[in-house]
Amino acid sequence: MVTCYLKYVIDPYKVNEFEEYGKMWIPLVNKLGGTHHGYFLPHEGANNIAYAFFTFPSLTAYEEYRVKMALDEECQVAFKFAEDTKCILSYERSFMRPVFK
């Protein structure tokens, strides 16, 4: 299993737009083979940092998701929404593997 960790730098004046963007992606990731664990928006502390986490059975499954995502119309709508609203200033993506024992 591999978990994709996304750290976003968002426009603090567009948190509502970023939340709408996140709500678009949760069902899309699930539809395309992953398990989304949610978006985490600023509450206390930094007002411009947000996170998202989602899991795939393997890195290969994630790479297959990326191919499907590029062809999916709903995914393209979500990308365009972020581009049009400019709610995301930058992001970084890392992959982690869980340790349970």
Side-chain angles (χ1 to χ4, degrees), residues 10 15 40-51:
I10 62 173
V15 173
F40 299 84
L41 306 178
H43 182 67
E44 292 283 331
N47 68 351
N48 67 334
I49 302 297
Y51 299 94

Side-chain angles (χ1 to χ4, degrees), residues 57-72:
S58 65
L59 193 54
T60 299
Y62 172 78
E63 291 167 352
E64 291 168 359
Y65 154 80
R66 297 280 295 179
V67 171
K68 293 177 198 173
M69 180 183 65
L71 302 172
D72 187 274

Side-chain angles (χ1 to χ4, degrees), residues 39 81 84 97:
Y39 280 81
F81 177 83
D84 290 348
R97 62 178 176 80

